[in-house]
Amino acid sequence: GFDRPNVFALRTLADARAIIAACANASSVAFIGAGFIGMEAAGALRARGLEVHVVAPEEVPMERVLGNEVGAFIAGLHEHQGVVFHLRTTATTFDGNTLALKDGTAVRADVVIVGVGVEPRTQLAAAAGLAVQDGILVDEHLQASSPGLYAAGDVARYPHGADRVRIEHWVHAERQGQAAAINLLGGEQACTDVPFFWTNHYGLDIRCTGVTQGWDEIRIDGSLPDRDFTARYYRAGKLIAAVSAGRDLENLSVEAELQGADAVRP
């Protein structure tokens, strides 16, 4: 039943406008998935007065990316505003009015929004013989496996420390596009910017710098309940990322620290 006209994804401006139009006469909405985009949209629709449900298989939303404490903190912001979470379960069917969950729960929903992740469109690149792996593989100058061809933005998977990463954030895409243009014109600008993004929930900005993947330790300074903290993420004792609220200057300091660290240089 997920091909019904009141089921939406959220990837484009047209999607956003269609969701707003569909919610104009709706009283309840259910989100499948509890990632950043879905949670931001859930907050926006809750602020419009809709009853909001979030369905996700995790025990704590975004726990894999942010850890238990920070994930629970963000979920708590939404619960405080009345968002209802259905965790450790998944959606099975939708009849247009009721969303059935695997655990037997029935959730009334005038609108369903599916936000379970995206996949980069690499079909054209693969057909052209370029190396692809969860994106188009590029070097530090954003050049693909075939000389003279470049990729930038969400689809580009580039060297970052000992890893390759693919960043889905518009500022990063802008900067990569600028670097790719310079290199197409004969320059040699390496893509060494520290990845970052921010996410807003009910007026609170949460800022992330670095890449929170592969961490094995989190150290939190400050108070989550007071919305004044920095969580630092480490891998094998080396700082790889930080997430903060109420500490913008400190977050910028961490970004500068990461920019100067060998761990983030290709």
Side-chain angles (χ1 to χ4, degrees), residues 163-186:
D163 302 318
R164 285 183 177 270
V165 296
R166 190 174 58 78
I167 305 300
E168 298 173 0
H169 191 277
W170 65 271
V171 172
H172 209 66
E174 280 187 339
R175 293 180 178 179
Q176 284 193 345
Q178 292 162 358
I182 289 170
N183 296 335
L184 279 165
L185 295 171

Side-chain angles (χ1 to χ4, degrees), residues 40 73-74 77-78 198-207 223-229 244-248:
E40 287 180 0
F73 166 74
I74 294 177
L77 296 175
H78 289 266
W198 66 90
T199 180
N200 183 280
H201 303 263
Y202 307 101
L204 178 66
D205 280 334
I206 300 171
R207 303 186 184 278
S223 169
L224 277 76
D226 292 338
R227 304 184 180 189
D228 176 26
F229 69 89
S244 67
R247 297 189 176 191
D248 292 356

Side-chain angles (χ1 to χ4, degrees), residues 139-141 158-163 190-193 262-266:
D139 64 15
E140 65 272 21
H141 296 103
Y158 70 100
H160 177 75
D163 302 318
C191 180
T192 60
D193 286 351
D262 291 338
V264 300
R265 296 197 179 278

